[in-house]
Amino acid sequence: MSDTMNPKPILTCALTGAGDTVGRSEHVPVTPEQIAAAAVEAAEAGASVVHIHVRDPETGAPSRDSALYREVVDRIRQTGVDIVINLTAGMGGDLVIGQEDPLEFEEGTDLVNGLDRLPHVEELLPDICTLDCGSLNFGDGSQVYISTPDMLRAGARRIQELGVRPELEIFDTGQLWFAKTMHAEGLIDDPSLFQLCTGIPYGAPSDPGVLQSMVNLLPEGAQWASFSIGRKQMPWVAQSVLLGGHARVGLEDNLYLSRGVKATNGQLTEKAVNIIEQLGARVATPDETRAMLGLRRAA
């Protein structure tokens, strides 16, 4: 392990996500003001990157409203805090199949084409945006996340034109196969950036052997991170760094600091920083992150 350990991992804090977590923890940020404050908190705790979703300020439901993204990003930038900004572009892929008639989609469906998932990226030009690299049965029930090869190629091409670095979200090995195909086709620039997402039903399980197999399949020279959800979030920080990767924590993926103790984004970041330092590594600064990923420098 010592030969492959990453001595300077990038640490991402995923601040709020799109899951039904608002009612489960008072610390999940909802309004643009709260999300921006969480970003600053994570940055001050040592995060290199913040990964941002937005929510309807009235209901807490996930949103694709560009105005909400604009307010969050403007508020972060106005503070002067140095942090790499990663905006999700995964919203707009939710399909809930009808039980009686599969062609009658049910409440919770929010399905648009690949380009219509990108208006906020086109406007705000973040350092990084996500690209979810395939379709997936999303948990039990009838919800499916839809991201077809045609949608992905169109989205990847547009993100490339914008000069934004895509973070390729990989939930299973077939998605990794297709992401590598896009890379080989020239739709993904180097250094490519892969996020190996584990533990989300029903994608790749949180299994070290599965993670190692996916790492073995990455393109040469790729930058990669991985994460797991719930109680495996912190062990996965160590798992990822020991295999040579970067790490991610945050309330999108886990609500608890320890058993029964609800966390803030800053506390999760601090705990991850401590794990990384106990391994003998050091979290990359935002500028070091920009250099590793070939990003523009902060204005």
Side-chain angles (χ1 to χ4, degrees):
M1 288 294 188
S2 60
D3 291 339
T4 58
M5 186 181 79
N6 188 346
K8 195 185 296 181
I10 296 165
L11 179 60
T12 295
C13 185
L15 303 173
T16 188
D20 185 19
T21 54
V22 172
R24 293 164 53 200
S25 173
E26 66 275 20
H27 300 305
V28 174
V30 173
T31 68
E33 183 177 11
Q34 290 169 345
I35 296 168
V40 172
E41 178 191 21
E44 291 177 343
S48 322
V49 179
V50 285
H51 173 58
I52 297 170
H53 288 248
V54 293
R55 295 177 179 268
D56 183 317
E58 300 298 324
T59 67
S63 176
R64 291 189 283 111
D65 188 342
S66 290
L68 296 174
Y69 282 103
R70 185 186 318 120
E71 183 177 349
V72 171
V73 171
D74 285 348
R75 284 179 176 274
I76 294 170
R77 289 174 173 165
Q78 286 166 9
T79 68
V81 69
D82 188 20
I83 194 73
V84 174
I85 292 177
N86 175 342
L87 299 184
T88 185
M91 304 299 296
D94 295 326
L95 177 62
V96 183
I97 303 295
Q99 292 298 292
E100 298 296 327
D101 181 354
L103 296 181
E104 291 289 333
F105 305 144
E106 295 188 350
E107 184 179 356
T109 294
D110 178 31
L111 185 61
V112 297
N113 68 39
L115 294 181
D116 286 342
R117 302 177 194 187
L118 296 173
H120 61 298
V121 177
E122 294 174 327
E123 176 187 349
L124 299 171
L125 297 177
D127 304 293
I128 302 167
C129 74
T130 62
L131 188 63
D132 292 12
C133 288
S135 301
L136 181 74
N137 286 333
F138 204 83
D140 292 308
S142 296
Q143 182 173 342
V144 182
Y145 183 82
I146 301 295
S147 198
T148 67
D150 282 345
M151 290 175 175
L152 285 164
R153 285 188 171 101
R157 187 174 295 110
R158 183 61 180 138
I159 293 166
Q160 188 178 54
E161 290 169 354
L162 294 170
V164 175
R165 177 71 63 211
E167 181 183 69
L168 305 170
E169 303 289 293
I170 306 297
F171 293 85
D172 213 344
T173 51
Q175 298 185 7
L176 177 53
W177 183 0
F178 185 71
K180 288 175 63 179
T181 298
M182 289 195 293
H183 180 261
E185 291 171 352
L187 292 171
I188 306 297
D189 293 331
D190 289 322
S192 55
L193 174 60
F194 290 75
Q195 181 70 261
L196 307 177
C197 313
T198 75
I200 296 92
Y202 288 99
S206 299
D207 180 281
V210 172
L211 178 60
Q212 180 68 78
S213 70
M214 290 199 291
V215 171
N216 291 344
L217 292 171
L218 291 169
E220 185 176 353
Q223 295 283 345
W224 68 273
S226 76
F227 71 88
S228 189
I229 62 173
R231 64 182 181 179
K232 291 191 176 180
Q233 182 177 78
M234 291 302 165
W236 224 251
V237 171
Q239 184 72 56
S240 195
V241 172
L242 287 171
L243 286 179
H246 307 295
R248 167 172 142 170
V249 295
L251 293 177
E252 176 170 350
D253 307 323
N254 163 51
L255 299 178
Y256 291 91
L257 187 65
S258 58
R259 186 177 180 87
V261 179
K262 292 177 181 175
T264 67
N265 281 297
Q267 289 171 332
L268 292 173
T269 301
E270 288 174 0
K271 189 169 183 177
V273 169
N274 184 57
I275 290 169
I276 290 167
E277 290 178 346
Q278 290 295 318
L279 292 173
R282 176 179 66 78
V283 175
T285 67
D287 267 346
E288 289 169 336
T289 299
R290 294 181 186 102
M292 276 188 263
L293 301 181
L295 306 178
R296 303 178 302 268
R297 291 185 63 84

